[in-house]
Amino acid sequence: MSQASIDVGYAATLARLNLTDEETQLFQTQLQQVLTYADKLREVDVSDIDVAAHAVPMFNVFREDAPLDWFTAEDALSNAPRQANGLFIVPKVVE
Amino acid sequence: MTPRDLPALTITELQQLLRARDVSPSEAVEALHARIAEVDPQIGAYLSLDLDAAVKAADAADINLPLGGVPIAIKDVLNVAGQPCTCASRMLRNYVASYDATVVTRLKQAGAIPFGKTNMDEFAMGSSNENSSIRPVLNPWDRGRVPGGSSGGSAAVVAADEAFGALGTDTGGSVRQPAGFCGIVGLKPSYGRVSRFGLVAFASSLDQVGPLTKTVNDAALLMNAIAGQDAQESTSLPDAVADYTAGLGREIRGMRIGVAREHRAASVDPQVQAAVDRAVALFSSLGAEVVEVSLPHTEYAVAVYYLVATAEASANLARYDGVRYGHRAADAKDLLDHYGRTRAEGFGTEVKRRIILGTYVLSSGYYDAYYLRAQKVRELIRRDFANVFAKVDALLSPTSPVPAYKLGEHATDPLKMYLADVFTVPANLAGICGISLPCGFADSEEGTRLPVGLQLLGNSLDEARLLQLAHAYEQSTEWHTQRPPLARPLEEQRA
């Protein structure tokens, strides 16, 4: 995997993050160093490990399916960049 | 006891005065505010301070509650209703919290007064508090140097007597390492011990809220208030919360402390190693048995951390899209332009760097080789600790391989900065608890004294035993009574 070098531009597109050319070049170098360093993980025998998606063995933590009256629409709108009529105003996405 | 002397007290000492009615909660807040006004222009640790709200809370305080009337500083990554929550980022520069984080609710229920939001590395990403979009925090012990990070503000305010205690957060060492650099106590609870509800997420399987205090007893008091299961936070553990102060002062004779041979092999500043070696000798003289152990996967921990944490961060920071809150780029041409520019303008360099790396290692074609593999090695790191804790009660190491370094020293080499997290990240990966406490000083070339942090690690949910050991060490030394020269009233400094 270290043979292929990190494609910063590709990752930036996925991350919806506009990078300048300088940033792209800088990150290319720096992150390639990090990934090359991380290549040491390939030495480790992980053949008998089931992947752990959970940091602690807690599964299916449920609560009562009942509405709680603690976070209002007003709260949710309180930091909106633009709002009107109890709605978020957003850039048009559909023509 | 003049108002000038009040801020130098510990939480425990302040409580005694409050309950004896020698001091009122409002007087404590005012005295603290005066100290902050005097000292913080030299440190830069507070991002916001609502004196009116604090005085109001102080006037209504019930001193009979466990933390009644005690002001506590809060890292600006935790929501305090009605207060800014900026995460030291342009992205959230104008964000005002509309609810309290659970830890804040619990502090209030215990009678404490949240007072002041502290500076930090942006979105908790960094080890030096140089990644704040507002200003770096300066180490009170040597203002040419960093206080550590990402809870640099919380550590600095406690060290400089600008706070009686503070909350910070620790994802890869962000409570312990700044505590070490600033000469105070910093505890990372076991994963799941403290609720993350209302904590702005960085890496959801690693983040924990923890106390930064002047003494171990104070850390135990804060833990009593904040620990415990939260119905609104599904990774919080159901296990009962002990009284963390109960075991303090108990004998540690016969307890077993492990030192990992892989830690001995790591390259550590000689003065740091010397201070830690003296601490080992002190533990032995207190009757603890110090034994060598092995953590075979130590050399992989930093690599695992910077793949897992950045991956999780890339997912958690996807919500900053300029739609419902936070910064929004002006005059977007279309949706992609809106997202791309909003995020470019809102995030600082380190945050962008980690989002890019995290996105990449999760992307199709690379997920198996990087993220999945890292999670598997993480399991091996967990097993290393499980094996070791079957043989010892705690592990001991330096908190950081070096004392506080100079501002700007690591600016161009992210990997080098990441490698300095070698002692702290394993605890987050394994979900175990860890504490840093002061164990001495290193002399800088300029002749300033730089605190050295000693780290103890305990098994998951074994905070009580960890605090017991830490307290025994602390009470056998004078390190916790030392304050940076800055903290003395200016008249004294001039004398």
Side-chain angles (χ1 to χ4, degrees):
Chain A
M1 265 315 130
S2 68
Q3 282 71 30
S5 59
I6 178 174
D7 189 340
V8 170
Y10 168 63
T13 304
L14 289 176
R16 299 292 186 257
L17 187 53
N18 288 1
L19 296 180
T20 63
D21 291 336
E22 291 81 23
E23 282 170 330
T24 304
Q25 268 196 318
L26 180 67
F27 292 170
Q28 196 74 44
T29 314
Q30 292 175 334
L31 294 179
Q32 191 53 53
Q33 282 170 3
V34 175
L35 281 182
T36 302
Y37 174 75
D39 258 347
K40 60 162 61 208
L41 296 182
R42 303 208 295 161
E43 308 163 3
V44 186
D45 178 6
V46 294
S47 48
D48 77 333
I49 311 285
D50 273 334
V51 66
H54 298 265
V56 288
M58 300 269 288
F59 310 99
N60 299 337
V61 180
F62 294 131
R63 63 170 172 82
E64 275 301 306
D65 186 14
L68 297 174
D69 186 26
W70 70 279
F71 198 80
T72 64
E74 204 176 68
D75 289 329
L77 286 162
S78 61
N79 286 289
R82 285 184 67 196
Q83 60 170 292
N85 304 327
L87 303 169
F88 295 98
I89 297 182
V90 299
K92 190 194 302 195
V93 299
V94 181
E95 285 302 326
Chain B
M1 175 74 46
T2 72
R4 271 198 162 290
D5 300 322
L6 272 179
L9 299 179
T10 64
I11 293 172
T12 307
E13 290 164 342
L14 175 65
Q15 274 190 321
Q16 282 160 6
L17 292 186
L18 287 170
R19 284 169 184 173
R21 296 179 192 276
D22 289 339
V23 169
S24 74
S26 322
E27 283 168 336
V29 168
E30 297 282 4
L32 201 55
H33 183 247
R35 172 61 53 95
I36 292 168
E38 181 184 331
V39 166
D40 208 56
Q42 302 167 69
I43 301 292
Y46 278 106
L47 292 181
S48 66
L49 210 56
D50 188 342
L51 182 63
D52 288 340
V55 168
K56 223 178 183 157
D59 288 337
D62 177 355
I63 55 172
N64 296 309
L65 290 174
L67 289 171
V70 177
I72 301 291
I74 310 287
K75 184 178 182 182
D76 208 19
V77 72
L78 287 158
N79 280 275
V80 179
Q83 302 297 329
C85 188
T86 68
C87 302
S89 179
R90 275 189 207 97
M91 186 63 83
L92 295 177
R93 173 173 35 203
N94 299 314
Y95 184 88
V96 175
S98 55
Y99 68 102
D100 281 332
T102 294
V103 291
V104 172
T105 302
R106 290 186 179 178
L107 280 182
K108 289 180 177 177
Q109 281 168 350
I113 300 163
F115 181 38
K117 303 302 296 295
T118 57
N119 203 348
M120 51 185 283
D121 279 300
E122 185 182 356
F123 282 112
M125 299 186 194
S127 311
S128 67
N129 220 126
E130 294 173 291
N131 295 324
S132 166
S133 73
I134 293 99
R135 69 180 94 85
V137 174
L138 310 184
N139 192 315
W141 290 90
D142 179 335
R143 285 179 288 124
R145 290 173 186 262
V146 302
S150 60
S151 309
S154 287
V157 296
V158 173
D161 290 329
E162 296 186 74
F164 296 101
L167 291 188
T169 64
D170 190 313
T171 304
S174 291
V175 161
R176 292 163 286 154
Q177 184 254 34
F181 278 12
C182 291
I184 59 164
V185 174
L187 172 70
K188 183 199 89 70
S190 316
Y191 185 82
R193 178 74 292 186
V194 177
S195 170
R196 293 179 300 111
F197 181 81
L199 164 64
V200 175
F202 161 12
S204 304
S205 77
L206 301 168
D207 293 342
Q208 270 295 279
V209 179
L212 293 103
T213 55
K214 301 175 191 181
T215 65
V216 173
N217 193 71
D218 282 1
L221 286 175
L222 289 184
M223 278 296 287
N224 280 355
I226 64 175
Q229 188 171 39
D230 178 10
Q232 292 181 296
E233 209 269 81
S234 63
T235 64
S236 66
L237 297 168
D239 304 67
V241 178
D243 173 358
Y244 292 110
T245 62
L248 303 185
R250 274 198 212 131
E251 269 280 10
I252 64 164
R253 189 161 296 279
M255 289 179 74
R256 291 164 63 84
I257 297 177
V259 175
R261 73 171 70 100
E262 295 80 7
H263 286 170
R264 282 214 170 287
S267 95
V268 173
D269 177 286
Q271 293 190 76
V272 169
Q273 192 61 59
V276 170
D277 287 342
R278 283 192 289 271
V280 169
L282 182 53
F283 270 113
S284 297
S285 75
L286 292 172
E289 194 186 335
V290 180
V291 299
E292 187 184 78
V293 297
S294 176
L295 294 168
H297 296 91
T298 297
E299 66 177 293
Y300 304 111
V302 169
V304 169
Y305 175 80
Y306 278 99
L307 295 184
V308 171
T310 56
E312 295 186 6
S314 74
N316 279 325
L317 269 64
R319 69 193 64 185
Y320 301 106
D321 57 15
V323 174
R324 292 154 299 156
Y325 47 73
H327 175 69
R328 175 185 284 193
D331 305 317
K333 299 196 305 284
D334 56 36
L335 187 61
L336 286 182
D337 184 49
H338 162 89
Y339 286 150
R341 281 200 294 119
T342 289
R343 290 160 64 77
E345 292 166 9
F347 291 136
T349 305
E350 182 63 27
V351 170
K352 286 179 187 169
R353 191 168 20 237
R354 296 198 193 192
I355 289 173
I356 294 296
L357 180 58
T359 303
Y360 188 75
V361 308
L362 286 176
S363 65
S364 168
Y366 298 104
Y367 175 92
D368 283 1
Y370 290 120
Y371 181 72
L372 205 58
R373 176 161 277 272
Q375 286 283 52
K376 292 184 178 187
V377 179
R378 180 182 183 173
E379 176 59 24
L380 292 174
I381 291 171
R382 265 195 211 108
R383 290 183 191 177
D384 281 359
F385 282 109
N387 290 337
V388 159
F389 285 125
K391 304 187 196 105
V392 300
D393 297 297
L395 291 165
L396 182 155
S397 76
T399 302
S400 161
V402 295
Y405 43 85
K406 295 190 180 145
L407 291 154
E409 197 169 310
H410 288 305
T412 53
D413 196 342
L415 180 56
K416 185 155 184 228
M417 190 178 274
Y418 298 163
L419 289 171
D421 292 333
V422 58
F423 295 121
T424 50
V425 299
N428 303 83
L429 294 173
I432 60 174
C433 57
I435 190 169
S436 180
L437 49 161
C439 72
F441 291 89
D443 294 316
S444 74
E445 308 148 352
E446 293 82 25
T448 54
R449 292 201 312 160
L450 307 175
V452 175
L454 174 74
Q455 178 179 248
L456 295 171
L457 297 178
N459 206 356
S460 181
L461 296 179
D462 213 14
E463 279 83 348
R465 201 191 316 260
L466 191 70
L467 289 163
Q468 183 189 346
L469 277 166
H471 185 260
Y473 173 81
E474 176 193 77
Q475 294 297 309
S476 305
T477 71
E478 302 274 304
W479 307 123
H480 62 289
T481 63
Q482 310 255 322
R483 291 285 183 274
L486 183 74
R488 287 201 304 272
L490 282 175
E491 290 97 75
E492 241 180 81
Q493 287 181 65
R494 290 194 205 108

